[in-house]
Amino acid sequence: MRITIIGHASLLVELNGFNLYIDPVFFDPFETNHISCPKRKVDKERLPRADAVFFSHDHADHADFKSIGELNRDAQVFVPKGSPLNTTLLERGFSSLNPVSGTEVRQVGPFELYFTPSEDEDIELGVVVTSGRHSVWCQVDTVVEEKTVLDILRRYELGLVFATYNPLILHGRNWHQERVFPRHRYEYLLEMAVMCQAHRVVPYSSGQRCADIPEFNRMEYPVLREQFLEDLKLLAPKTEGIRANPGDILQFDDSEFRWLVGASPFVKMLSDKSTELVFSPPSSSWPPLRTRRTPRYSLDQIEKTITSLIENWLEPILQTYASDLLLEGPLRRLRDRRHNFEIVCLLEEESLDMESDLSRYDALRWHLVTWVPKPIFVKGGRVDADYSFVLSARALMDYVMQIDHQRPSIPQIRCRYRREERSGDSGGISLEPLPPPELFRPRRHFVDACFAWDPLQEIFA
């Protein structure tokens, strides 16, 4: 069995001329502004033909549309059951789709694939690839729990684990308020890696960085691979830790294992700027939100447009949530706590950070007065709103008017919650606003499950 590290979460597993790709992503950037770290170059002309492909989930850093376009359409494709990728791949002409669930076993070529579940709200899977003699577990972004590890150990002796290792700080694209190292989540990841009893462990699936906002890197990625392997060595001294980079090959030859650095003919590592990922929140602040109003939009036009979006789109959507008995996750907690929020559209050129007093800014505001039993927005805002969704009026208008087909991004929308304690009153019991780490439960969901809800997401989904 021969495994090529393509970068981030992308792997090629080969045996007897059969090629299995796992989360193939060949191009950078693979998200709006994320690139591989270490930086790599993939020679797509030399990529081996795919006999089978496994997509763990539908996030852009694991299922990149441009990369999907490079795959031959007759490959056998394995996708989590219920994932939107099933429709996407059918539309792109793939003829052999295999929706699978956690704990399901499939045979493909010389490999047995055992799909491992995730204790996450996202639809995602990991996979154990075994040739009979050697078994490799790719956890990808799944949330691993003890019962999953025990189930795997009853079935396989793990020669290699590509392990989740980074307790990401990002609890949603709008929330950047956790400034303390997430020690309990990190220790749990180490505990799961030790429990695997694998001969070798590769820190895996955090090989990316934000290309244009360095501050983001110092806050999102709190653990380097070196630190994880050093700590793992203290806890499991018999386990070999491997800091594999793009272009490296990990090869099992009968009873021998070899780590071939830079041996791939189609992937080359160009540079490694992992130091930019060092966790350093005190010296890093989220870049200010900047916005400006252009002459093409009058104040009246902006107000009418946003009012129409709220009345015709957002209020009906929130109405469905108001009566949904099965609603779950952070949105359920917001609704049940009767929290109010406001939408703040900045008009003039401003520089806004997370600590700014919103009342000082020239903006249009809409305040959600009640959610249950019926959502009601009013024009005008409250400075003590539990949650404020702040966005650039220009970015929103450009998107609505189809001048910019990219929906407003991280630098153009920000969310914050009110930190001040609510003063006592005679209004009875009132549940306090929760900071994102508390909305984000259970706390063991470290990788991709996040509170990423905002009103724009509902309108433009």
Side-chain angles (χ1 to χ4, degrees):
M1 185 188 296
R2 177 184 175 101
I3 304 169
T4 300
I5 311 298
I6 300 176
H8 183 43
S10 301
L11 303 172
L12 170 63
V13 187
E14 302 170 84
L15 181 63
N16 299 334
F18 190 92
N19 301 316
L20 165 67
Y21 283 94
I22 296 176
D23 284 353
V25 176
F26 307 133
F27 302 98
D28 292 289
F30 43 75
E31 289 188 283
T32 304
N33 55 0
H34 277 70
I35 61 174
S36 298
C37 182
K39 188 176 181 181
R40 50 77 193 268
K41 182 178 182 180
V42 178
D43 185 350
K44 64 184 183 68
E45 302 301 328
R46 303 183 70 180
L47 285 170
R49 190 177 190 276
D51 296 297
V53 183
F54 167 61
F55 290 103
S56 64
H57 59 303
D58 66 343
H59 290 179
D61 56 326
H62 297 262
D64 168 56
F65 288 169
K66 186 177 179 181
S67 300
I68 288 173
E70 297 295 325
L71 300 172
N72 42 287
R73 299 303 193 263
D74 59 345
Q76 295 189 62
V77 181
F78 298 89
V79 185
K81 193 170 292 183
S83 170
L85 276 173
N86 286 281
T87 301
T88 300
L89 294 169
L90 277 173
E91 291 173 346
R92 282 162 171 74
F94 286 87
S95 57
S96 181
L97 279 181
N98 302 273
V100 291
S101 303
T103 72
E104 195 169 334
V105 178
R106 293 292 185 95
Q107 192 73 33
V108 57
F111 298 121
E112 177 182 283
L113 306 181
Y114 176 72
F115 300 99
T116 59
S118 177
E119 302 302 318
D120 197 341
E121 295 174 357
D122 287 341
I123 300 174
E124 61 184 359
L125 296 172
V127 64
V128 177
V129 182
T130 181
S131 63
R133 189 181 183 94
H134 304 289
S135 298
V136 176
W137 184 14
C138 301
Q139 296 179 353
V140 203
D141 287 356
T142 57
V143 176
V144 176
E145 289 203 341
E146 181 176 317
K147 61 183 179 181
T148 301
V149 179
L150 292 176
D151 181 51
I152 290 173
L153 292 180
R154 282 191 286 266
R155 296 168 177 268
Y156 308 104
E157 178 182 348
L158 294 171
L160 178 64
V161 169
F162 288 91
T164 302
Y165 73 98
N166 222 329
L168 302 189
I169 290 293
L170 183 61
H171 288 290
R173 64 180 178 275
N174 302 332
W175 304 93
H176 292 268
Q177 301 183 29
E178 187 172 7
R179 297 297 186 102
V180 179
F181 182 80
R183 184 177 182 85
H184 64 288
R185 300 205 305 274
Y186 177 57
E187 289 177 347
Y188 188 85
L189 289 171
L190 280 167
E191 183 182 4
M192 291 300 100
V194 172
M195 191 177 178
C196 291
Q197 302 178 37
H199 295 286
R200 302 161 195 89
V201 168
V202 177
Y204 168 67
S205 195
S206 278
Q208 59 176 315
R209 65 182 176 90
C210 183
D212 56 356
I213 310 177
E215 295 89 348
F216 182 92
N217 297 319
R218 294 185 179 276
M219 297 180 69
E220 182 178 4
Y221 306 98
V223 177
L224 294 179
R225 292 179 291 170
E226 292 85 349
Q227 182 65 55
F228 181 81
L229 292 176
E230 182 180 324
D231 293 338
L232 182 64
K233 191 68 176 176
L234 293 174
L235 298 171
K238 293 184 179 180
T239 298
E240 179 185 0
I242 299 176
R243 188 185 183 278
N245 290 314
D248 291 358
I249 291 174
L250 308 178
Q251 185 160 318
F252 292 92
D253 296 316
D254 295 326
S255 59
E256 183 184 5
F257 173 82
R258 292 188 292 165
W259 174 13
L260 307 173
V261 177
S264 171
F266 59 89
V267 185
K268 297 297 180 186
M269 185 177 76
L270 302 180
S271 63
D272 186 356
K273 295 186 177 180
S274 295
T275 54
E276 293 186 7
L277 309 185
V278 174
F279 183 58
S280 180
S283 62
S284 302
S285 59
W286 188 246
L289 184 150
R290 301 183 186 280
T291 180
R292 63 179 58 87
R293 186 173 68 201
T294 61
R296 60 175 168 259
Y297 305 126
S298 66
L299 182 62
D300 182 63
Q301 186 180 15
I302 294 172
E303 183 172 349
K304 286 181 178 179
T305 299
I306 300 176
T307 298
S308 175
L309 288 174
I310 291 173
E311 292 179 350
N312 297 322
W313 292 92
L314 186 55
E315 284 184 352
I317 291 169
L318 294 183
Q319 179 66 67
T320 64
Y321 292 149
S323 56
D324 184 359
L325 297 177
L326 301 180
L327 185 66
E328 58 186 21
L331 203 52
R332 175 70 179 246
R333 287 187 278 278
L334 285 178
R335 186 195 71 180
D336 288 354
R337 285 174 171 258
R338 297 295 196 268
H339 287 334
N340 65 83
F341 65 80
E342 64 177 354
I343 299 172
V344 182
C345 294
L346 297 183
L347 298 173
E348 304 295 343
E349 184 166 352
E350 300 285 2
S351 179
L352 171 72
D353 60 37
M354 292 299 290
E355 310 302 326
S356 298
D357 179 2
L358 292 179
S359 64
R360 297 189 295 106
Y361 292 91
D362 185 10
L364 294 173
R365 286 178 166 81
W366 287 263
H367 177 230
L368 181 70
V369 182
T370 63
W371 189 334
V372 179
K374 179 178 179 173
I376 298 176
F377 278 90
V378 297
K379 179 70 170 55
R382 282 175 46 185
V383 294
D384 63 341
D386 293 318
Y387 296 89
S388 297
F389 294 92
V390 189
L391 60 139
S392 160
R394 177 188 178 184
L396 177 61
M397 291 296 295
D398 281 352
Y399 182 79
V400 172
M401 306 303 288
Q402 296 296 300
I403 292 172
D404 184 353
H405 293 275
Q406 178 107 13
R407 66 152 281 182
S409 62
I410 291 173
Q412 299 159 339
I413 181 170
R414 199 69 45 78
C415 188
R416 44 192 260 160
Y417 80 104
R418 187 170 59 84
R419 290 191 178 89
E420 297 83 7
E421 294 185 4
R422 191 187 300 271
S423 58
D425 54 41
S426 58
I429 295 175
S430 178
L431 297 174
E432 295 296 320
L434 293 172
E438 295 301 321
L439 282 164
F440 178 80
R441 296 181 200 154
R443 297 295 296 276
R444 290 198 297 270
H445 290 187
F446 339 85
V447 185
D448 271 337
C450 58
F451 179 37
W453 181 82
D454 69 67
L456 285 184
Q457 182 184 28
E458 297 298 330
I459 294 173
F460 299 126

